Amino acid sequence: MAGKDGRTVDELFAGLSPAKQRTFEEVGLGLPELRRIAEEDGHTRRVRRILDIDGGKPSDDPARAWPWIRLPLIALVGVAVCLASTYLIGRYAVFVGLVWGMAVIWTAVSAPLRRGGPVLRGLVVAAYIVLVWLGSQQADRWYLQVRGQETTVTYAKAVDRGSHGVTTLYCRVKLPDGAIRQVFDNDKWCTDVTMVGTRTQAVVDPAGHYRPFLGHKSDLDNGVIDYLCLGAAVVLVLAPVAAVALIPWRSRRSNRAGGPGGVDV
């Protein structure tokens, strides 16, 4: 009975070290029993699994683990690119993240795992979507919390950017350098024409890429969304770690024990 590489059970057994041959014989899996198993099955697949042989090479456990190691790396790069894109295109950066998500989905689908694979893949993809969706909306807040500077600004006349007869006022402020910038969140006073010329506190981006935020740095905190993003980041990392842990590392157990590992008769 020959296997997929043309080798018979005798040749597979002969390829083992003498110490491993003796170990298999001691547990009742000597050459006669292996021949019987191959004859019963009509192929050597189960014999190969017992001997921990795949095409004459060691078990490919590291190769099976690599897609799960690669998955969070690709996903985290996608999140980073999405957040960095908000520096140039603001909240439209979510589309950058969703396009990159195609690579994340492809990597997740190609990651092999029989037990729990669909659940872990779904968790990774869901966590990625949460991060790019909410992250693209919160990146300006996170940036201003880190690099923003509190300063005094002056209310300017709000601008109407409504359409089809609908009035939509967007607040603007005059910065200390004289520039007039639209804020990214209106407050309850800024659309009142009587407030034009009055002063208030704001957090501004020294580089001028992100719009000013009316209020103090402490007002930038958005606890629920921040914790949700943190939880998604944890899932994005731990789900692939769990997948790697579920891969049967038969070769390592076999090498450490000096005998057959993962015997499945």
Side-chain angles (χ1 to χ4, degrees), residues 65 68-69 71-72 113 120 124 234-247 249:
W68 287 104
I69 298 172
L71 177 56
L113 187 65
L120 293 174
V124 171
V234 171
V235 170
L236 190 64
V237 174
L238 291 187
V241 170
V244 172
L246 288 173
I247 293 176
W249 296 82

Side-chain angles (χ1 to χ4, degrees), residues 3-8 11-13 15-16 20 24 44-64 112 114 247-248 250-251 254 261-262:
K4 59 184 179 182
D5 60 352
R7 295 197 296 168
T8 64
E11 291 170 333
L12 293 173
F13 192 77
L16 300 176
K20 283 195 173 184
F24 278 110
T44 62
R45 191 177 306 124
R46 187 151 55 125
V47 172
R48 289 174 174 278
R49 189 164 63 247
I50 293 171
L51 300 180
D52 202 9
I53 294 174
D54 185 9
K57 299 178 182 179
S59 175
D60 63 343
D61 290 324
R64 286 187 291 159
R114 293 181 181 178
I247 293 176
R250 292 191 298 271
S251 289
S254 176

Side-chain angles (χ1 to χ4, degrees), residues 19-57:
K20 283 195 173 184
Q21 290 180 4
R22 287 193 298 272
T23 302
F24 278 110
E25 290 169 349
E26 289 170 0
V27 297
L29 289 171
L31 188 54
E33 178 63 15
L34 295 175
R35 288 171 179 162
R36 184 195 66 78
I37 293 172
E39 184 67 29
E40 181 181 279
D41 293 343
H43 51 72
T44 62
R45 191 177 306 124
R46 187 151 55 125
V47 172
R48 289 174 174 278
R49 189 164 63 247
I50 293 171
L51 300 180
D52 202 9
I53 294 174
D54 185 9
K57 299 178 182 179

